[in-house]
Amino acid sequence: MSFDGFEAPLKARLRLFVIGVLVFSLFCTLFARLWYMQVMSNEDYTQAATEQHTRQVLVPAPRGTIVDAKGRTLVGNRVSLVITVDRSVLAKLPDSQQNLVMARLAKVLGQRPKDLKARTMLCGEPGASKPPACWNGTPYQPIPVAKDVSEQVAIEVMERREDFPGVAAESQALRAYPSPHTVNAAHILGYLSPITTEELDDIEKAGGDSVPHRSDLVGRAGVERTYDKLLRGTPGVKDVIVDAVGYTTGIQKQTAPVSGATLVTTIDARIQASVEAQLRNAILTARKQYDKITKRKYVADSGAAVVMDTKTGRIVAMASYPTYDPGVWVGGITQRELDALYSTKSGTPLVSRALQGQLAPGSTFKPITTAAAMSAGYSTKTRLDCSSFFEVGNRRFKNYESASYGMIGFDQALSLSCDTFFYRIAYALWLKEGGNSSDVNTWDPLVEMAKKFGLGQPTGIDLPGEVSGRIADRKWKKEYYDSQKDYYCKLAANPPEGTSAFLKQFSREFCVDGYRYRAGDAVNFAIGQGDTTVTPLQLAMVYSALSNGGTLYEPRVVQSWIGANGKSHEVKPKPKAKLPVSSSNLRYIDRALMETVKTGTAAWKFNGFPVDQVRVRAKTGTAEVYGKQTTSWLASYTDRYAVVMMISQAGTGSGAGGEAVRKIYE
């Protein structure tokens, strides 16, 4: 009996059953997957979908204000009418219509269409200009293309919305300088400019909190730079909804920005304005005077003045000339304006002479020499000849105008500013220290005391760009010789036509043994001449220490800051060092410097001044500079304040600065 008839239907049913099971299994798997995706992973996919159609836009925080010690606003914010362009709206239009809108807007703003378009391009995209011409922020926020526009321009743009799609007029905060008492203070306050891509990349690599954003303005100088993080605040964040092609369609959520801190400076605007005015007047007056030696008018190309609270190190006023208007940076600076700020013809006004002017201190250095000599065996009873000159080898080192006062002590040597008195001390110590010894480690009490007074290193002030000055000791001279030997040896062997006789001789001597610290170097060092340089700020710190009993303070221009929550944070005075000078020697130097304004070199400028009530101590300085006119110095102090003024190429210390310093005290 055959079963073939039954086998075929059975196999067919079996195949159908297997297929059914397989289909059912696939269906169950698909159902399970869909259930997992829609139920179990719903939150994850919802978040991913949201992220796909939202973008974060920063809402700038109002930058903190800067006030003086009395609460007067030195730097604030003002509201400016700004024209902005929304790229996401323009992108919806045909290219021809986009160009038409930009052409209309350029005409209204008085700009070239090419320049206007450059402002709306993202930095880094093809065809974009370099910052600040391009936009360094996000494409999802309106891009400012014109600031400080008139109300008429703003109204014209807003009333013709159909002609200006994506264009708006809105208010924006810009830096403002109220100038109480007509104060400038540019070198203290600083300025802002856009952050560059390179800077931002470096900051992001370094890590840390409060990282700037691409559209931020950052501090470039002064307290704007030092305290940039505090002043910048925290921007708000706005989540905008965009469609598939990146057009903005709405706002999902946003957080409010947190304003920057308020900086309370140590500056008194009234005194600052007076110091600025007196410095400028002293320079302009000096330019009308004649140099007795060259018979030419003084150049008086630049200067600086510092007023310091001697008990705290806080800066009450600090001025540099020439200066500049910090408002020139607001809203963008032109290349022509930028070139002028760096130009030597205009005096490089960006340079702060108070922090960065390195000049020989002249006789204002003599109190340091006095302190060093008294620590090296000399005393208040020492008497030396203040002759008209002092001979070292075959060279005569003269007193100013070859004056001669006979046998005197340190007190008269300081008040009368007798050079030959200090020459004798320096020469004797030089011989004691080994004379022409080339050992750079030779002990030198004058050099060591200068270092103890804080010279040769930055003061530590809370402002950027400070220089260290220079102590021209044995070590420095050897380093200088090593770096310049080849140049001067070549010059000595084959001097170009027109080389002066002095330079020829100097080159020959330098090439042979320019590394030696000679007697001439030592005697010049003792009176603040030669290659030693200081800044006006360093000298103010030195004279403050003479006033307060021997404490060197790190100078400060900010005394506190107030956060957005209203809490105040004090920046406390910071003692830097204690002078290794006895109290009795400090009192002796103090009494000697008091005579400077009574009977000494500054007396003719302080006639009629109540020196018994306002006890001014002072030291004048007239520093010689090869190839230039003399630098004028006047360093002074009372029981509470130190006042230092320096004017380059202006003559004597009292002659150029005496009257100005007196008026500052008045």
Side-chain angles (χ1 to χ4, degrees):
M1 184 175 180
S2 175
F3 292 94
D4 292 344
F6 293 97
E7 289 179 356
L10 183 62
K11 290 180 179 179
R13 285 196 295 270
L14 184 59
R15 281 196 297 271
L16 289 174
F17 175 76
V18 172
I19 293 172
V21 171
L22 182 61
V23 171
F24 180 76
S25 299
L26 290 173
F27 178 78
C28 290
T29 301
L30 180 62
F31 178 79
R33 182 61 179 166
L34 289 173
W35 178 84
Y36 176 81
M37 292 175 64
Q38 295 183 19
V39 178
M40 297 298 292
S41 301
N42 177 66
E43 187 175 334
D44 294 337
Y45 283 102
T46 300
Q47 181 178 352
T50 301
E51 290 175 352
Q52 287 293 323
H53 70 262
T54 60
R55 297 290 185 274
Q56 284 192 338
V57 176
L58 297 177
V59 181
R63 194 168 176 88
T65 58
I66 303 172
V67 302
D68 81 342
K70 305 292 185 182
R72 309 178 187 100
T73 301
L74 300 175
V75 186
N77 298 306
R78 63 180 175 83
V79 176
S80 168
L81 281 175
V82 178
I83 300 298
T84 64
V85 173
D86 191 331
R87 281 178 46 131
S88 65
V89 174
L90 281 182
K92 298 177 181 179
L93 305 175
D95 290 345
S96 58
Q97 193 170 350
Q98 289 185 39
N99 294 333
L100 185 60
V101 171
M102 297 299 282
R104 290 193 194 116
L105 183 59
K107 184 176 181 180
V108 171
L109 298 178
Q111 299 182 15
R112 295 188 305 173
K114 180 181 177 181
D115 296 336
L116 183 62
K117 184 177 180 180
R119 291 179 181 273
T120 64
M121 297 188 72
L122 301 179
C123 295
E125 72 175 325
S129 302
K130 294 182 179 180
C134 58
W135 174 239
N136 211 27
T138 170
Y140 302 105
Q141 67 185 107
I143 301 172
V145 294
K147 299 178 181 180
D148 286 332
V149 300
S150 65
E151 290 186 9
Q152 182 179 354
V153 169
I155 291 173
E156 183 174 356
V157 169
M158 297 305 292
E159 286 184 343
R160 297 168 55 194
R161 290 185 179 274
E162 68 282 359
D163 292 332
F164 298 106
V167 180
E170 57 186 52
S171 61
Q172 189 179 92
L174 297 179
R175 264 336 207 183
Y177 303 88
S179 301
H181 297 282
T182 67
V183 71
N184 173 261
H187 296 97
I188 299 173
L189 302 174
Y191 58 91
L192 306 176
S193 69
I195 190 170
T196 66
T197 302
E198 292 78 11
E199 289 172 329
L200 191 60
D201 291 342
D202 291 341
I203 294 173
E204 289 175 345
K205 288 177 182 177
D209 56 354
S210 189
V211 177
H213 300 277
R214 294 191 178 276
S215 57
D216 277 351
L217 296 175
V218 293
R220 293 298 184 192
V223 294
E224 290 275 27
R225 177 174 174 179
T226 303
Y227 297 92
D228 181 70
K229 188 180 293 186
L230 286 173
L231 289 166
R232 200 186 317 132
T234 305
V237 178
K238 179 167 60 177
D239 290 344
V240 297
I241 303 171
V242 297
D243 59 21
V245 292
Y247 300 151
T248 302
T249 60
I251 299 175
Q252 187 180 70
K253 63 177 181 178
Q254 66 182 83
T255 57
V258 179
S259 300
T262 297
L263 285 188
V264 182
T265 69
T266 60
I267 302 301
D268 186 313
R270 184 178 63 87
I271 301 174
Q272 174 72 24
S274 174
V275 170
E276 291 172 357
Q278 294 306 326
L279 175 63
R280 181 178 182 275
N281 290 340
I283 289 175
L284 296 181
T285 300
R287 290 175 181 174
K288 300 176 183 178
Q289 309 301 317
Y290 281 89
D291 185 342
K292 293 181 180 179
I293 298 175
T294 63
K295 307 301 181 183
R296 294 185 293 110
K297 287 185 178 181
Y298 285 110
V299 176
D301 52 357
S302 60
V306 181
V307 179
M308 181 182 289
D309 185 328
T310 64
K311 297 186 183 299
T312 63
R314 288 172 171 164
I315 303 297
V316 180
M318 185 164 64
S320 179
Y321 187 91
T323 187
Y324 65 95
D325 176 12
V328 74
W329 299 87
V330 177
I333 187 171
T334 66
Q335 189 63 47
R336 183 178 180 181
E337 292 170 329
L338 188 63
D339 291 342
L341 292 177
Y342 285 103
S343 170
T344 54
K345 289 184 178 180
S346 56
T348 54
L350 278 184
V351 175
S352 171
R353 267 69 184 185
L355 306 179
Q356 300 167 316
Q358 303 182 92
L359 303 102
S363 294
T364 59
F365 189 84
K366 289 175 181 175
I368 299 175
T369 302
T370 300
M374 289 184 172
S375 70
Y378 293 89
S379 73
T380 58
K381 296 180 180 180
T382 297
R383 294 292 181 272
L384 296 173
D385 187 11
C386 180
S387 54
S388 61
F389 66 88
F390 179 72
E391 198 163 330
V392 177
N394 60 356
R395 181 181 173 187
R396 287 187 172 186
F397 290 80
K398 298 180 179 180
N399 258 343
Y400 179 69
E401 294 186 342
S402 299
S404 177
Y405 298 99
M407 301 299 289
I408 62 175
F410 280 100
D411 50 355
Q412 282 186 287
L414 286 171
S415 63
L416 298 174
S417 201
C418 176
D419 291 340
T420 55
F421 181 95
F422 293 99
Y423 289 153
R424 296 178 191 280
I425 291 174
Y427 184 68
L429 291 175
W430 176 79
L431 289 174
K432 184 179 178 182
E433 294 154 9
N436 274 325
S437 171
S438 58
D439 183 3
V440 297
N441 296 315
T442 299
W443 172 261
D444 189 330
L446 301 186
V447 168
E448 294 306 315
M449 186 60 72
K451 292 178 180 178
K452 296 295 184 182
F453 268 82
L455 302 185
Q457 59 182 306
T459 65
I461 190 172
D462 52 342
L463 289 176
E466 184 188 11
V467 298
S468 62
R470 177 175 61 227
I471 295 179
D473 56 3
R474 283 173 167 80
K475 184 178 180 181
W476 175 84
K477 192 164 189 186
K478 179 63 167 61
E479 291 174 349
Y480 182 75
Y481 174 78
D482 291 341
S483 66
Q484 300 295 319
K485 178 184 177 182
D486 292 343
Y487 169 77
Y488 282 110
C489 287
K490 183 178 179 181
L491 186 63
N494 189 22
E497 185 178 349
T499 303
S500 67
F502 169 81
L503 188 55
K504 290 178 182 178
Q505 182 178 349
F506 175 83
S507 300
R508 288 192 294 268
E509 294 177 356
F510 186 92
C511 182
V512 175
D513 58 357
Y515 57 88
R516 291 191 182 278
Y517 192 74
R518 301 180 180 278
D521 297 316
V523 297
N524 268 329
F525 186 87
I527 65 163
Q529 290 285 176
D531 295 306
T532 293
T533 61
V534 303
T535 68
L537 179 63
Q538 286 176 322
L539 209 56
M541 183 181 69
V542 166
Y543 277 71
S544 290
L546 293 175
S547 169
N548 65 34
T551 301
L552 291 169
Y553 283 97
E554 284 192 356
R556 288 288 179 269
V557 295
V558 170
Q559 60 180 329
S560 64
W561 56 276
I562 304 170
N565 58 2
K567 185 178 180 181
S568 179
H569 306 264
E570 183 184 4
V571 179
K572 295 182 179 180
K574 186 177 180 181
K576 186 175 184 179
K578 190 75 175 177
L579 297 180
V581 185
S582 68
S583 298
S584 59
N585 285 345
L586 283 174
R587 286 194 297 270
Y588 179 84
I589 294 172
D590 183 84
R591 290 192 298 270
L593 296 179
M594 197 176 297
E595 284 300 314
T596 303
V597 298
K598 292 182 177 181
T599 60
T601 54
W604 67 298
K605 291 294 185 180
F606 279 81
N607 285 332
F609 188 86
V611 291
D612 292 328
Q613 286 75 42
V614 183
R615 302 195 307 162
V616 177
R617 295 80 145 178
K619 185 72 200 75
T620 57
T622 307
E624 296 179 4
V625 183
Y626 176 71
K628 294 184 177 182
Q629 296 166 313
T630 54
T631 303
S632 165
W633 287 95
L634 182 52
S636 64
Y637 64 89
T638 63
D639 294 336
R640 184 61 188 272
Y641 300 106
V643 179
V644 172
M645 181 171 287
M646 177 280 297
I647 306 177
S648 172
Q649 302 198 78
T652 66
S654 57
E659 187 174 345
V661 170
R662 172 178 175 158
K663 287 183 177 180
I664 290 172
Y665 278 118
E666 289 174 343

